[in-house]
């Protein structure tokens, strides 16, 4: 089995309250992710999953509470200040620039890195192309003309272009055909096996629980249940998520597949200071 996370906390939310206008969505979210862990946030529609992710990325302001990266308070920092700290955010529906090429999309993903260390950026992009040869073959192709699977690949590559310490992913399976979904799952499982810290929001329970090692269940803007996938009460999780008996069995099967993963992790990277 893969070795456990190192114990170093990469990102932590403490009593986070957030929302839009008069509408409060998060009512005191507590969540922590250790280096090398792959954690999933699950919940019904409107539970606050995506808002939690956007707060961690700096896209939604926190009203009260704190967010820390590597033990440093970044609650008031904008998104662009969190990128050099090692945060990469992959939004729902991927949000590529369809009229830009593969190469140009990757440049935008690695914009901060490219400004500060062009040689390092070039090495990172080479690594992305090595990881995804299809992107290398289509580096001059417009993103909007690519297939769904290729766009998903490019979205992940664009996030990796910033050399992240933690990858925040919102609904990676959304809008994908089943075959493409399996390809995306394989990509993310490989990143997990290499030791990249991953936090994802996922509505597709079967997909999500095949990937994550730890799960947090949100309900009305609060984490109401969490734990390692290997020790989850799947019946309780199914009840909290409002899934039927059939999906409860699928959830049990997915958690079983997750806990038998055998790919080795790479040595975790040092944090960016």
């Amino acid at each position: 089995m893969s070795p456990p996370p190192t114990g170093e906390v990469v990102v932590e939310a403490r009593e986070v309250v957030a929302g839009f206008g008069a509408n409060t969505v998060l009512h005191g979210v507590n969540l922590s992710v250790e280096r090398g862990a792959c954690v999933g946030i699950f919940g019904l529609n409107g539970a606050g999953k995506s808002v939690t992710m956007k707060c961690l990325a700096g896209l939604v302001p926190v009203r009260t509470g704190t967010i820390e990266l590597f033990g440093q308070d970044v609650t008031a920092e904008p998104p662009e200040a969190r990128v050099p700290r090692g945060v990469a955010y992959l939004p729902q529906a991927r949000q590529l620039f369809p009229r830009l090429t593969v190469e140009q999309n990757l440049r935008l993903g690695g914009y901060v890195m490219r400004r500060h260390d062009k040689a390092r950026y070039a090495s990172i992009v080479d690594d992305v192309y090595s990881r995804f040869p299809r992107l290398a073959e289509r580096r001059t192709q417009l993103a909007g003309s690519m297939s769904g699977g290729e766009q998903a690949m490019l979205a992940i590559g664009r996030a990796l272009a910033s050399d992240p310490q933690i990858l925040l992913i919102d609904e990676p399976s959304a809008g994908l055909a089943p075959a493409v979904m399996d390809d995306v799952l394989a990509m993310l499982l490989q990143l997990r096996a290499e030791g990249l810290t991953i936090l994802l929001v996922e509505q597709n329970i079967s997909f999500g629980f095949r990937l994550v090692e730890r799960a947090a269940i949100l309900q009305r803007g609060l984490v109401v249940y969490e734990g390692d996938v290997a020790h989850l009460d799947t019946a309780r999780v199914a009840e909290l998520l409002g899934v039927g008996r059939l999906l409860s069995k699928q959830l049990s099967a997915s958690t079983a597949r997750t806990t038998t993963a055998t790919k080795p992790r790479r040595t975790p990277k040092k944090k960016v200071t």
Side-chain angles (χ1 to χ4, degrees):
M1 294 182 66
S2 299
T6 64
E8 178 189 9
V9 175
V10 175
V11 62
E12 183 166 17
R14 295 178 181 167
E15 297 294 327
V16 169
V17 175
F20 307 97
N23 182 26
T24 300
V25 179
L26 305 183
H27 298 273
V29 166
N30 290 291
L31 182 72
S32 66
V33 181
E34 295 181 6
R35 182 186 289 277
C38 182
V39 179
I41 302 175
F42 302 90
L44 299 175
N45 286 334
K49 304 184 299 297
S50 291
V51 175
T52 298
M53 192 71 81
K54 289 176 180 177
C55 284
L56 297 176
L59 296 168
V60 171
V62 172
R63 293 176 177 175
T64 61
T66 59
I67 291 174
E68 293 185 354
L69 287 171
F70 300 107
Q72 296 189 6
D73 190 339
V74 298
T75 310
E77 284 190 355
E80 62 271 21
R82 302 186 193 193
V83 174
R85 293 182 180 274
V87 177
Y89 173 61
L90 204 168
Q92 187 175 356
R94 295 169 287 282
Q95 295 183 10
L96 296 171
F97 294 91
R99 297 185 180 182
L100 298 183
T101 65
V102 167
E103 183 82 34
Q104 289 167 333
N105 270 274
L106 292 179
R107 284 185 181 181
L108 288 173
Y111 176 74
V112 173
M113 173 66 68
R114 193 161 158 266
R115 285 184 61 195
H116 291 89
D117 191 340
K118 287 186 178 181
R120 176 65 179 148
Y121 167 76
S123 174
I124 292 167
V125 171
D126 285 344
D127 181 69
V128 170
Y129 283 142
S130 176
R131 184 185 296 277
F132 305 123
R134 200 177 307 174
L135 294 183
E137 296 168 3
R138 291 160 170 76
R139 65 178 69 196
T140 60
Q141 184 173 337
L142 296 181
S145 67
M146 301 173 77
S147 69
E150 290 167 345
Q151 289 188 10
M153 192 181 301
L154 177 55
I156 294 172
R158 184 179 64 180
L160 295 178
S162 66
D163 195 25
Q165 301 293 303
I166 180 169
L167 184 59
L168 308 177
I169 315 176
D170 196 348
E171 301 279 5
S173 73
L176 297 179
V180 176
M181 204 180 298
D182 288 342
D183 289 342
V184 171
L185 178 64
M187 295 178 212
L188 295 177
L189 282 171
Q190 181 61 39
L191 292 174
R192 187 192 93 170
E194 293 173 7
L196 179 63
T197 308
I198 300 173
L199 176 64
L200 75 148
V201 161
E202 184 54 67
Q203 193 71 25
N204 185 317
I205 298 167
S206 178
F207 178 96
F209 275 89
R210 288 168 66 189
L211 176 62
V212 304
E213 300 158 307
R214 186 171 180 82
I217 311 300
L218 255 65
Q219 203 171 67
R220 298 191 179 109
L222 286 169
V223 175
V224 295
Y225 183 63
E226 63 179 315
D228 294 336
V229 167
H231 304 109
L232 288 177
D233 181 343
T234 54
R236 184 179 178 192
V237 171
E239 180 183 1
L240 289 170
L241 296 178
V243 300
R245 186 174 300 175
L246 176 61
L247 283 179
S248 180
K249 291 180 180 178
Q250 291 178 356
L251 175 60
S252 298
S254 297
T255 57
R257 285 195 293 269
T258 299
T259 55
T260 56
T262 56
K263 291 182 179 179
R265 293 183 185 272
R266 62 174 172 151
T267 302
K269 299 185 212 175
K270 298 295 182 180
K271 68 180 180 180
V272 174
T273 56

